[in-house]
Amino acid sequence: MSNEKKNVGKMLLGTWDTKTVVGVAIGAALFAVLMNYGGIRVFTNTSLTTAMIVVPIVAGLFGPLPAALVAGLGNVLADLIGGWGFWFDWSIGNFVMGFFIGLLPLYGAKIEDGIFQVKHMIGYVICVLLGNVVGFGLVTPVLTVLFYSSELTITWAQAFTANLSNIIVQVVVGIPVLFLMAKRNAKKSNLSTED
Amino acid sequence: MDLNKRLFINIIPGNTFLDKLSGTTKVRLFFALVILLVATWDMRIILPALAVSIVGLVSIKPNKKLVLGLVGFVTLMNLFNLFLVWVVMPDSGANIVGASTLLFRFSERYVVTAETLWYFAVRFLKFMATFLISLTFIQAITPSEMAAGLYSVKIPYKVATMVSIAFRYIPEISRDFSDIKISMQARGMELDPKKTTLLERLKQNVVILVPLIIVSFDRVGNIANAMDLRGYGRGKTRTYYSEHEETPNDRKMKVVYLLLYVALIAVIIGRIFFPGEFEVWAPWI
């Protein structure tokens, strides 16, 4: 039991070797660039952005905490180069969302071993919905009240559009990408034995 | 605006006053100013901060044409954002500043009040000041100074490395992004927003994304191996080559940022324990 607990803890944290550090860094840079240029504006500071697709990719490669860091850190960096001001409430909301999306191995999807089937896809969709609703429907508005109390009406409108556009991108583009990644890894490892 | 020119960072420090400060001083000063600007909606704090940011930006002698282009772009973007805020909440001044003095009326819902305009002015100047401070910071710091500075505020060094690598690779990735976009256009992909539908545009963005992700994550292995070969991640602590000893100028700026932190704590305590009835202060209320 304790061994299993340790495994879950390790799974949530991910292994913090140099490759993870660099992977998260590049992921965050990619997130920041795409947030600035790879999107279609829907509402103030909210767009149908392809940046959101970086999160499931990093989740598949490195795990939940790296995915969360990519989203949070990437958002801060995007704010730094974007010029629309810093919105730490949204960065933290993104962090929470990234963590939920990163929970892939929790329900048995192992991208590095090529395991990503229909039931994992359903799990992924549930995680995407949960992550967006908890991240932008709960965490961000609460923090908005704490940090910038006057902005709540805007935040609700933004949260609604952001949720909708993120879910569209993460589900419609995310599932095929994760599936392809798993398929690519599966080819490497599934050696068939000769009869 | 051209992406290559929009994102530019320094690898080699320059020789102006701000450039010569140590990474620690730069990062602490930046944090103090940015958090102060996030925490406040008070014109009496925002205006001096804006003045400081303009002085800071001019003092590092940036490329004038580039900076003017950027400032123009960000101004337009923020004005457009304000317009959208007005569409959603036409009378936002009433809740936020605390009165509505009617100036102009388009329809039952769409009105322009003096308080809304004041709130928008505060909001606009707040974001412009934040942007100019960020721009100055980006221009005055190198990636390894940034890592050193973040480490000095007790951020784990692996996270500090992460931020500095991400910062270092943002220009590279945006260059790849525009290269891929141009080569896709050369192959006949229509990217003009006026000529394509929303779904089509999303599809095209994904088409640009696939090679970009492959190219970017291909780098990870190379960089990680290079770092491992140099013994990265062996020790529990880390020192930075780019971090020099405190100069007299660093000591002077230390007084400045310590004062800023005192002001920041005062602002936050003021907002938590003595919240005014309305968020934004206006001289006539």
Side-chain angles (χ1 to χ4, degrees):
Chain A
M1 182 60 204
S2 71
N3 195 19
E4 201 172 81
K5 224 177 200 173
K6 212 182 262 172
N7 278 342
V8 171
K10 205 179 167 193
M11 191 267 319
L12 290 179
L13 283 172
T15 43
W16 279 85
D17 55 3
T18 318
K19 211 166 177 183
T20 314
V21 171
V22 181
V24 172
I26 297 287
L30 200 56
F31 189 94
V33 169
L34 289 173
M35 199 134 174
N36 274 281
Y37 307 114
I40 300 156
R41 187 151 290 244
V42 195
F43 185 57
T44 83
N45 290 349
T46 320
S47 38
L48 200 60
T49 173
T50 42
M52 288 302 158
I53 198 62
V54 179
V55 181
I57 291 173
V58 173
L61 290 170
F62 303 108
L65 192 63
L69 272 172
V70 161
L73 204 63
N75 196 318
V76 174
L77 284 168
D79 286 353
L80 182 71
I81 58 175
W84 47 67
F86 285 86
W87 299 93
F88 295 118
D89 45 348
W90 285 91
S91 306
I92 295 167
N94 262 316
F95 182 89
V96 172
M97 180 209 69
F99 193 81
F100 272 94
I101 291 177
L103 293 174
L104 285 167
L106 199 68
Y107 45 87
K110 291 200 180 85
I111 303 296
E112 70 263 44
D113 299 335
I115 303 170
F116 190 67
Q117 290 153 352
V118 177
K119 63 174 181 187
H120 303 132
M121 286 177 196
I122 295 165
Y124 171 74
V125 172
I126 291 168
C127 275
V128 166
L129 293 175
L130 259 179
N132 277 292
V133 169
V134 173
F136 301 133
L138 194 72
V139 175
T140 302
V142 167
L143 292 172
T144 307
V145 172
L146 285 179
F147 294 167
Y148 324 79
S149 41
S150 59
E151 297 272 323
L152 200 59
T153 324
I154 299 287
T155 300
W156 279 117
Q158 279 179 332
F160 182 73
T161 44
N163 265 336
L164 214 64
S165 54
N166 289 352
I167 291 168
I168 291 173
V169 171
Q170 282 161 348
V171 170
V172 173
V173 191
I175 288 181
V177 167
L178 282 173
F179 183 73
L180 285 176
M181 275 167 67
K183 210 171 140 193
R184 202 173 141 204
N185 288 338
K187 263 185 202 156
K188 274 185 210 158
S189 60
N190 282 12
L191 299 171
S192 56
T193 47
E194 277 179 45
D195 296 326
Chain B
M1 167 150 298
D2 189 357
L3 292 178
N4 295 336
K5 289 191 183 145
R6 183 144 150 56
L7 295 169
F8 46 100
I9 60 162
N10 286 323
I11 309 286
I12 303 156
N15 50 15
T16 65
F17 175 79
L18 283 177
D19 277 308
K20 280 185 174 164
L21 296 173
S22 69
T24 311
T25 314
K26 288 176 194 172
V27 167
R28 289 181 182 181
L29 204 56
F30 173 71
F31 277 1
L33 280 168
V34 160
I35 298 174
L36 187 65
L37 274 173
V38 165
T40 189
W41 283 97
D42 197 328
M43 199 62 133
R44 290 163 293 187
I45 298 173
I46 292 170
L47 275 181
L50 185 70
V52 166
S53 67
I54 293 172
V55 170
L57 187 60
V58 172
S59 81
I60 55 167
K61 296 182 187 132
N63 181 341
K64 253 187 215 141
K65 218 173 139 190
L66 206 66
V67 166
L68 283 179
L70 264 175
V71 170
F73 175 80
V74 170
T75 306
L76 283 179
M77 184 188 71
N78 275 323
L79 287 177
F80 180 67
N81 279 344
L82 283 179
F83 173 73
L84 287 179
V85 172
W86 180 74
V87 168
V88 178
M89 307 193 296
D91 194 16
S92 43
N95 307 323
I96 292 163
V97 187
S100 1
T101 318
L102 192 68
L103 291 183
F104 200 77
R105 184 181 280 279
F106 290 102
S107 67
E108 192 63 35
R109 181 176 151 79
Y110 288 103
V111 291
V112 177
T113 65
E115 284 74 17
T116 307
L117 286 181
W118 172 259
Y119 165 58
F120 282 179
V122 170
R123 205 182 141 106
F124 178 72
L125 292 179
K126 173 176 158 138
F127 294 150
M128 284 317 274
T130 313
F131 168 66
L132 292 177
I133 286 168
S134 309
L135 190 61
T136 314
F137 178 67
I138 295 172
Q139 287 278 284
I141 203 164
T142 63
S144 52
E145 278 176 342
M146 193 189 250
L150 289 173
Y151 187 57
S152 83
V153 289
K154 304 283 177 277
I155 289 175
Y157 78 82
K158 287 198 171 174
V159 177
T161 312
M162 237 176 229
V163 177
S164 76
I165 295 177
F167 181 61
R168 161 73 181 74
Y169 277 94
I170 281 176
E172 213 115 324
I173 288 173
S174 56
R175 200 193 55 211
D176 288 344
F177 180 83
S178 59
D179 285 353
I180 293 166
K181 200 169 158 185
I182 290 166
S183 54
M184 287 299 178
Q185 276 172 317
R187 285 168 201 162
M189 195 165 90
E190 184 59 70
L191 285 172
D192 191 343
K194 284 173 201 150
K195 290 179 188 163
T196 46
T197 59
L198 191 76
L199 201 72
E200 194 74 5
R201 275 172 75 198
L202 188 66
K203 222 165 105 189
Q204 286 159 350
N205 272 307
V206 174
V207 171
I208 295 173
L209 199 64
V210 172
L212 184 66
I213 285 173
I214 292 172
V215 168
S216 304
F217 282 99
D218 268 354
R219 285 205 188 94
V220 173
N222 290 340
I223 302 167
N225 286 342
M227 282 163 69
D228 275 334
L229 284 171
R230 288 162 179 78
Y232 179 81
R234 282 299 184 85
K236 286 224 183 295
T237 57
R238 197 174 164 78
T239 52
Y240 288 89
Y241 180 69
S242 66
E243 189 65 2
H244 54 74
E245 278 183 11
E246 261 187 354
T247 59
N249 283 341
D250 278 319
R251 255 171 249 129
K252 276 179 217 153
M253 292 315 273
K254 195 174 194 171
V255 176
V256 175
Y257 70 68
L258 286 177
L259 285 175
L260 277 170
Y261 280 114
V262 171
L264 177 61
I265 290 166
V267 166
I268 292 174
I269 287 177
R271 279 192 58 171
I272 294 174
F273 293 104
F274 311 101
E277 201 179 340
F278 298 107
E279 188 72 31
V280 177
W281 168 85
W284 62 85
I285 289 166

